[in-house]
């Protein structure tokens, strides 16, 4: 027997199989995306509800604003007549309307500024208190946030009551202060300041909770680096904390403007369902024109103008968010 016959043959690796016909095999863990209509199919129930709840009232609002529609048309004694832009011309030519617009803008701006400043201060405070104090503050914030608007308004009416209000009694204990029997709603500025305080009190909890969540995302390393570079508390907040919180602040400010320009129950309930002229905001002014004067067409025109103003705020918000997205 030769040496070649006694040598163990070498084991060769099996030949590599050719890929199956029809394309390459997809790696595991990746799923093929569905059709382009799948997202719209999933959104269809929500869109249908929005169209039912908001679509018809909005279309009806626009239709009424271009018609002559009063109590006679409501009861069917006379048909609704198309008057074009006459309702808008009459509303925009009314000096009282522009006073209401200016009052609404001042009221909303004051409410938003106080809400954001106070909310930021409380959110920063929560980062520096002990755990049990933070828990108590959060419980108080959630409790005040969850209180119904009507209940909160009733409480504020009692606090600022001229005869039985506890605030007048407490302030009168201060040296040189006598507010016993003082009526906070005798003048428009004082009364709107009280209503503004009510709006801020109800809006601060949401701002505090949102900003507190945003503050947890601020890197501690950047704050320490800023302090090592000589920055004080204001410098750290301005150059480190504020830029990181900018998207959240823009969102909260825009939402606050929309909410505060749409304030209705606070004014309506605080003035017992009949707001005086110096307490009228766009929402209550539209309501009075529609359901007190029974001019539903002009009330709809005022409401539509309010919607257009709010759309302008939303446009500014979207522009700021797009700028932030481009920077990031």
């Amino acid at each position: 027997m030769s040496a070649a016959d006694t040598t163990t043959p070498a084991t060769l690796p099996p030949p590599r199989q050719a890929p199956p016909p029809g394309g390459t095999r997809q790696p595991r863990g990746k799923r093929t995306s569905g059709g382009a209509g799948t997202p719209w199919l999933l959104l269809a129930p929500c869109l249908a509800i929005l169209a039912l709840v908001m679509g018809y009232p909005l279309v009806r609002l626009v239709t009424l604003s271009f018609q002559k529609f009063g109590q006679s048309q409501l009861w069917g004694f006379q048909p609704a007549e198309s008057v074009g832009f006459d309702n808008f011309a009459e509303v925009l030519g009314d000096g009282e309307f522009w006073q209401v617009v200016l009052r609404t803008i001042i009221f909303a701006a004051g409410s938003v500024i106080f809400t954001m400043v106070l909310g930021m201060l409380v959110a920063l405070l929560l980062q520096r208190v002990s755990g049990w104090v933070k828990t108590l503050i959060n419980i108080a914030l959630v409790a005040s946030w969850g209180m119904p608007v009507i209940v909160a308004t009733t409480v504020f009416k009692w606090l600022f009551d001229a005869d039985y209000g506890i605030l007048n009694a407490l302030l009168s204990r201060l040296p040189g202060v006598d507010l016993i029997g003082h009526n906070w709603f005798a003048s428009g500025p004082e009364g709107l300041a009280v209503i503004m305080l009510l709006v801020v009190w109800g809006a601060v909890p949401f701002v505090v909770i949102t900003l507190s969540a945003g503050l947890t995302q601020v890197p501690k390393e950047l704050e320490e680096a800023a302090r090592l570079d000589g920055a004080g508390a204001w410098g750290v907040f301005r150059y480190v904390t504020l830029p990181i919180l900018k998207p959240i602040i823009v969102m909260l400010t825009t939402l606050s403007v929309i909410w505060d320009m749409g304030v209705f129950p606070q004014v309506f309930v605080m003035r017992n369902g009949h707001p005086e002229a110096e307490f009228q905001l766009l929402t209550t002014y539209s309501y009075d024109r529609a359901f007190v004067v029974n001019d539903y067409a002009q009330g709809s025109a005022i409401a539509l103008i309010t919607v257009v103003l709010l759309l302008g705020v939303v446009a500014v918000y979207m522009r700021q968010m797009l700028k932030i997205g481009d920077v990031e």
Side-chain angles (χ1 to χ4, degrees), residues 56 60 64 67-81 287 289-297 300:
Y56 174 76
R60 186 59 176 161
L64 284 176
Q67 293 179 343
K68 178 182 179 182
F69 200 94
Q71 198 167 15
S72 300
Q73 287 77 15
L74 177 65
W75 292 103
F77 298 134
Q78 294 180 3
E81 302 177 6
Y287 177 87
R289 282 299 181 97
F291 299 103
V292 177
V293 185
N294 293 322
D295 193 344
Y296 304 101
S300 300

Side-chain angles (χ1 to χ4, degrees), residues 172-189:
S172 297
R173 294 179 178 271
L174 298 176
V177 178
D178 184 13
L179 291 176
I180 298 298
H182 176 72
N183 186 4
W184 292 89
F185 298 96
S187 65

Side-chain angles (χ1 to χ4, degrees), residues 210-263:
T210 306
L211 290 177
S212 297
L215 287 172
T216 60
Q217 305 302 315
V218 178
K220 301 299 181 183
E221 297 80 5
L222 294 179
E223 295 181 348
E224 291 296 334
R227 293 189 182 96
L228 291 176
D229 290 339
W234 170 249
V236 173
F237 173 76
R238 179 180 178 183
Y239 296 107
V240 178
T241 306
L242 199 59
I244 296 177
L245 293 180
K246 184 178 179 180
I248 300 178
I249 293 174
V250 172
M251 178 196 69
L252 290 174
T253 302
T254 307
L255 292 176
S256 298
V257 171
I258 294 174
W259 291 337
D260 294 343
M261 287 193 67
V263 166

